[in-house]
Structure formats: C-alpha cells, structure tokens
C-alpha cells in the first residue's frame, strides 16, 4: 500500500493571487494533505485562532499587510511550521521571516513540485522541535556504563552495534531489563549515539506517565476531529522518531490493545493516526525497557506474548548496583567530579570510611540513589573528605522473616534484639544464601562470590547432606559446563 507524500498533514495556504492559491491547494491535496486556503491577513488571524495546522505557507506581501507580521506577533502556535513565499527581489523579507522563526522560504515563480520537498525539509526541522519536548537534559554518561561487573553487558552491546552496522535500515528492537534506577535509559542513549542512527532523532517516552486516554494519540498522533479539541492533525512520537530511535520506557504500562498497535508498528513499519484511515510509513528503531519480569507478566495476561517474543531478539539485563563491587566507587568518583563542577564547590574526595559505607550499603535505588546520595553529601557536608554517615545509618530490608530482619551497613544491624525464645543460626545462614541466590538470579557461583565462600560450600548447604562430597564435585562441574 503506497502512502501519499503529505498524507495526514494539515496545511494553511495564505496567498492573495487566486490562481496560484487554487493551484497550490489542488496540488497539495493530491499529495494527501488537508488544505485550507485564504487570501488576507485578517482571515489568517481569525482561522488560526480557531484551528491549528501542521504547516502554514504564507505570502510576504498581502493586500492588508505583511505575512511576516503573523510571525512577529506570534500568531502561529509553536507546533506549526511556517514557510514563506516572496517574489523575486523580496529576499530581504524572506530573510526577516527566517529570523522570526520561519523554517523555509520559496521565491516566486516556483514549480509546484518543489512544495513536497520543501515541506519535507520543514517537517524534519519541526520533528526536531517535537523531539526536544521529550528529551531530558542529560550528561555524557558513556563512562557510567562500563566496569568489571558489566563486561558481559558491554560484549552484548558490541554485538548489537555490529549487527546494526550490517543492517542499517529496519533495525531490530532491543529489550532492556533491570531494576529501577540501574541505568536503562543510559543504555538506550548509548546504543543510539554509538549506532548508525546517531545523527537521527532519539525520542524518549515514559509509558507509565502517559494517561491511558492520551497514550495512543501521543504515540501515534491524531487527525483533525479525531476527538474533542483535536482541531488539527498532530504527529505522534513514532513519526517524530522516523529514521531514528524511539525509547519506550516501562512499555508494559501500556494497555493490551495499545501493545498490539506497537507490535504492528514494529513488524510492518507503518502506523495509523487516531481517527485516520491512511497508513504512514515509519522507519523507527524500538528500544523498550522495563523493571518487570516479562515472562511472568505474559503468564499473568498483562503483556502480549507475541510482542514479548518480537522484542526479545536483543535482550540486555542490567545487574543491580549492589552486585557491582568496586564499580560503585568508580561511579561515585565520576559523579562527585561532575556534581562539584555543577554546584561550583571545591573538589571533594571520599574518606576510607566513606568508601566502605558506599560498598556495604545495599542501594535499593541503584545508580539513581547513588547519584542522589552523593549530591546530598556535596551540598550539605562541609568536609573535604566525605564519609556518607547517613548511608551507614540506613537499613536495607530483606524479605520478611521471623528471625533475621535487617542487614545494615556493616552487614549486621547492631540494633537487632535476639528473641527471648531463641534464634536459629541455621535458618539465618540459609536465608542469607537464598537472598544471595535471588539477587544473582540463582547463579550459584555469583552468589558464592557475594557471600565470600566457595561454590562447593554453597552446594553443600543447599544439598542438605553435608557429607556428600561427590555431589559437590559434580555440581561444580555442572556449573562450569553451564557457564555459571
């Protein structure tokens, strides 16, 4: 199915010469646009107060004034792109229009075939403005990504970039999973900035922040009259990201019907605006992220299985900060340097006690919590060496249990009081082991490293048969074979 070049766009043509105005309107309508044509400034001011347009093509010299007055008086809303027309010799007026915010200009006489090309250029410029609405201010955080604990992740990222370089068009989607605050957005930005679409738009959207009633329109756009107050057609984020990357954070927050529409866009590379009947071609690389267990969400009927399998081609799991060991200190040093510069304070360092406090804390909020804690210290601590005493006093809750309740900065909460009816040391050990296994996704070797014991010891404890050395040996061999 072939889509008209200007399909879905609403255009205003302001030109006092009737023949040219009619020719332009007819040509643009054949290109798929919805066109309104008028001949005076007065009519333009009135219609723009009632309706909005994707683009306005305006003449400079009109019977009742200058078309540039509409720009000078900010008559057009920010999301309307303006193209000016001027007769030969009127370039100075066109230059003034560009200074006032016009995107392009045409010199009369011109070939009507120039219009779609000019609108295409203006559309790309307008696309960039739309992107800025959704792009949060960010630092260059490439160096936050890598360290000894993220070597596997870096290897996967390199494979993705190699595949992207080979394909270039219709890039496969990427699924990023990890706890809140682990840096999923940072990973998505890194993939985009280091891939073949680095010069193209990156559009970010937090799906969990989209009201259900507006989510479809925000993602796919809408046609004029699609719903109350839809007085003009508006491009959605898929169109804004055309040629680039669309980052859908917390994708499972979308309703099942909307997930189906996302799946169609991923597979067919086409979308349909709300209230529209025409398909619009889009070439968008989807990067989806979530802190949820998607296979479980599929079992619970909360996420489409077909969409999960379509997104799961490139799957990245970001480990929580508490498992990253000395990488925590490296990250803290990078954050400290930038925070001191941002707040214009002398450079700060971390004391030995401060480093230990950072390493021994559980960081349930991950990298985001670390950044906030460091900023708090930079702002409120006067010492040249930061000790992070509030971190040391903070407790991290484990899953509920009758015995061991909390683990503090030094691993043990000194405020804990043993129950009068006694305490089961065996149960506490097993709870620590199970917690480490849960934290490492049942990876016995990784759990052993967290606990500072051998893999054989863990298998010994888990087997429930302390004397079965053969079982320990065979379990270790199995671990090696499976790559754990």
């Amino acid at each position: 199915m072939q889509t008209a070049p200007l399909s879905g766009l609403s255009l205003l043509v302001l030109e006092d010469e009737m023949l040219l105005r009619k020719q332009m309107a007819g040509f643009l309508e054949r290109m798929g646009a919805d066109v309104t044509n008028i001949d005076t400034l007065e009519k333009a001011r009135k219609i723009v107060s009632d309706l909005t347009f994707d683009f306005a093509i305006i003449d400079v010299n009109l019977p009742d004034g200058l078309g540039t007055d509409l720009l000078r008086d900010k008559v057009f809303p920010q999301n309307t792109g303006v193209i000016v027309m001027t007769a030969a010799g009127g370039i100075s007026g066109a230059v003034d229009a560009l200074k006032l915010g016009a995107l392009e200009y045409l010199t009369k006489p011109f070939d009507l075939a120039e219009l779609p090309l000019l609108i295409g250029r203006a559309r790309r410029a307008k696309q960039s403005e739309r992107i800025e609405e959704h792009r949060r201010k960010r630092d260059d955080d490439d160096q936050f990504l890598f360290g000894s604990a993220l070597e596997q992740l870096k290897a996967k990222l390199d494979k993705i970039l190699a595949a992207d370089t080979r394909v270039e068009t219709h890039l496969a989607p990427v699924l990023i999973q990890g706890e809140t605050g682990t840096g999923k957005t940072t990973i998505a930005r890194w993939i985009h900035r280091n891939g073949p679409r680095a010069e193209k738009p990156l559009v970010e959207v937090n799906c969990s922040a989209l009201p259900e009633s507006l989510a479809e329109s925000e993602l796919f756009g809408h046609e004029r009259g699609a719903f109350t107050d839809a007085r003009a057609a508006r491009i959605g984020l898929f169109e804004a990201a055309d040629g680039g990357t669309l980052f859908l954070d917390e994708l499972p927050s979308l309703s099942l019907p909307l997930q189906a529409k996302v799946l169609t866009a991923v597979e067919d590379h086409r979308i349909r605006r709300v209230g529209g009947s025409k398909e619009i071609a889009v070439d968008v690389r989807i990067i989806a992220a979530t802190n949820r267990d998607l296979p479980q969400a599929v079992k619970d009927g909360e996420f489409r299985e077909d969409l999960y399998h379509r997104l799961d081609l490139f799957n990245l799991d970001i480990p929580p900060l508490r498992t990253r060991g000395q990488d925590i200190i490296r990250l803290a040093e990078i954050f400290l340097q930038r925070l001191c510069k941002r707040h214009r304070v002398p450079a700060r360092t971390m004391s030995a006690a401060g480093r230990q406090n950072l390493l021994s804390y559980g960081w349930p909020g991950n990298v985001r919590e670390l950044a906030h804690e460091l900023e708090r210290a930079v702002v409120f601590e006067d010492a040249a060496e930061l000790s992070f005493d509030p971190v040391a006093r903070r407790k991290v809750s484990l899953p509920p249990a009758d015995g061991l309740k909390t683990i503090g900065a030094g691993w043990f909460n000194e405020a804990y009081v043993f129950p009068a009816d006694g305490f089961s040391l065996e149960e506490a050990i097993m709870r620590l082991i199970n917690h480490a296994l849960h934290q490492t996704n049942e990876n016995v070797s990784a759990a052993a490293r967290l606990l500072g014991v051998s893999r054989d010891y863990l298998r010994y404890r888990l087997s429930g048969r302390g004397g079965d050395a053969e079982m320990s040996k065979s379990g270790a061999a199995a671990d090696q074979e499976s790559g754990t």
Side-chain angles (χ1 to χ4, degrees):
M1 177 180 178
Q2 192 168 5
T3 305
L6 304 182
S7 176
L9 293 182
S10 59
L11 305 180
L12 174 67
V13 174
L14 172 55
E15 167 59 59
D16 61 314
E17 187 182 336
M18 184 177 68
L19 180 59
L20 177 58
R21 186 174 71 251
K22 296 291 186 183
Q23 287 176 335
M24 289 176 63
F27 178 81
L28 293 170
E29 285 173 348
R30 288 193 297 276
M31 293 291 102
D34 182 3
V35 182
T36 300
N37 66 87
I38 51 176
D39 58 357
T40 65
L41 280 178
E42 181 183 359
K43 291 178 182 178
R45 292 179 187 276
K46 184 177 186 306
I47 200 165
V48 171
S49 67
D50 295 330
L51 300 171
T52 57
F53 299 89
D54 291 315
F55 295 96
I57 306 174
I58 63 175
D59 193 11
V60 172
N61 296 298
L62 295 161
D64 54 346
L66 296 175
T68 49
D69 288 342
L70 297 175
L71 291 167
R72 187 172 287 105
D73 297 340
K74 301 186 184 304
V75 171
F76 294 107
Q78 189 175 3
N79 64 342
T80 298
V82 178
I83 299 170
V84 296
M85 298 179 289
T86 183
I91 299 300
S92 60
V95 172
D96 288 341
L98 293 175
K99 291 179 180 178
L100 291 170
L103 299 176
E104 296 280 352
Y105 76 89
L106 272 169
T107 302
K108 298 178 182 177
F110 55 85
D111 188 338
L112 291 177
E114 292 181 51
L115 289 173
L117 301 176
L118 203 66
I119 292 171
R121 287 207 304 266
R123 190 177 190 181
R124 287 189 290 275
K126 181 183 169 187
Q127 184 183 57
S128 298
E129 295 176 5
R130 180 76 170 99
I131 292 163
E132 289 303 320
E133 297 176 17
H134 294 269
R135 177 177 291 158
R136 295 188 291 272
K137 183 180 179 181
R138 67 180 189 264
D139 292 324
D140 179 14
D141 29 34
D142 286 1
Q143 54 189 320
F144 295 170
L145 292 178
F146 307 120
S148 58
L150 293 184
E151 289 176 359
Q152 270 192 320
L153 179 63
K154 178 61 167 62
K156 287 186 177 180
L157 287 170
D158 289 340
K159 288 181 180 179
I160 291 173
L161 293 185
D164 288 353
T165 303
R166 290 194 301 271
V167 178
E168 291 191 3
T169 60
H170 293 165
L171 302 183
V174 177
L175 176 62
I176 306 174
Q177 299 181 91
E179 295 179 7
T180 299
T182 49
K184 296 185 290 293
T185 300
T186 297
I187 295 288
R189 291 170 179 166
W190 189 93
I191 293 171
H192 175 78
R193 289 201 304 270
N194 289 275
R197 301 190 173 196
E199 301 304 317
K200 299 295 184 178
L202 167 63
V203 177
E204 302 172 20
V205 56
N206 184 348
C207 296
S208 64
L210 295 177
E212 187 173 352
S213 58
L214 299 178
E216 185 176 9
S217 171
E218 189 73 5
L219 291 174
F220 299 98
H222 62 255
E223 299 289 0
R224 182 162 63 180
F227 50 82
T228 306
D229 294 332
R231 295 181 296 181
R234 185 168 185 256
I235 69 171
L237 297 180
F238 270 87
E239 286 181 81
D242 188 30
T245 302
L246 178 60
F247 174 50
L248 299 174
D249 196 10
E250 296 308 328
L251 178 61
S253 301
L254 299 180
S255 65
L256 291 174
L258 207 47
Q259 290 175 25
K261 197 164 182 178
V262 170
L263 175 63
T264 300
V266 172
E267 291 188 331
D268 298 342
H269 309 289
R270 294 183 181 276
I271 63 162
R272 186 175 295 167
R273 292 179 181 174
V274 176
S277 57
K278 299 175 182 177
E279 289 189 335
I280 301 171
V282 290
D283 179 14
V284 176
R285 184 334 140 60
I286 297 294
I287 301 180
T290 181
N291 59 10
R292 297 184 58 185
D293 180 346
L294 282 189
Q296 186 60 48
V298 170
K299 289 179 182 177
D300 295 340
E302 297 173 353
F303 196 77
R304 292 183 62 98
E305 184 174 10
D306 47 5
L307 179 56
Y308 169 65
H309 291 307
R310 189 66 184 84
L311 296 175
D312 199 37
L313 180 60
F314 291 141
N315 192 321
L316 300 172
D317 281 305
I318 308 179
L321 184 60
R322 60 183 173 272
T323 68
R324 293 181 59 179
Q326 289 295 323
D327 285 356
I328 296 174
I329 301 302
R330 178 173 175 270
L331 282 172
E333 289 171 343
I334 295 170
F335 277 128
L336 272 182
Q337 182 181 11
R338 295 191 175 186
L339 287 167
C340 290
K341 184 177 180 180
R342 181 191 304 169
H343 292 287
R344 299 180 181 179
V345 299
R348 305 287 183 84
T349 59
M350 295 177 284
S351 67
R355 290 170 180 265
Q356 183 56 42
N357 286 337
L358 294 184
L359 288 172
S360 57
Y361 181 56
W363 300 111
N366 291 293
V367 177
R368 185 179 295 127
E369 184 183 7
L370 174 64
H372 292 169
E373 189 61 46
L374 290 166
E375 186 165 19
R376 185 182 295 112
V378 166
V379 172
F380 292 109
E381 289 191 33
D382 294 329
E385 285 194 335
L386 304 176
S387 60
F388 309 108
D389 289 336
V391 174
R393 292 193 293 268
R394 202 169 298 142
K395 299 172 183 176
V396 183
S397 297
L398 282 173
D402 295 329
L404 188 62
K405 292 291 183 183
T406 58
I407 291 180
W411 90 261
F412 180 67
N413 173 20
E414 295 181 2
Y416 176 76
V417 177
F418 286 94
D421 56 353
F423 177 88
S424 171
L425 181 60
E426 182 68 23
E427 180 183 343
I429 292 173
M430 291 308 300
R431 282 191 55 73
L432 285 169
I433 290 173
N434 288 328
H435 186 60
L437 288 168
H438 174 73
Q439 184 172 307
T440 59
N441 295 317
E442 307 301 320
N443 187 314
V444 176
S445 297
R449 284 193 295 271
L450 290 181
L451 294 168
V453 298
S454 70
R455 182 170 48 195
D456 285 351
Y457 173 80
L458 238 60
R459 298 196 67 85
Y460 164 82
R461 301 293 312 196
L462 293 169
S463 71
R465 291 181 292 174
D468 197 340
E470 291 303 316
M471 184 175 196
S472 296
K473 291 178 182 177
S474 63
D479 276 347
Q480 290 175 346
E481 289 177 6
S482 63
T484 59

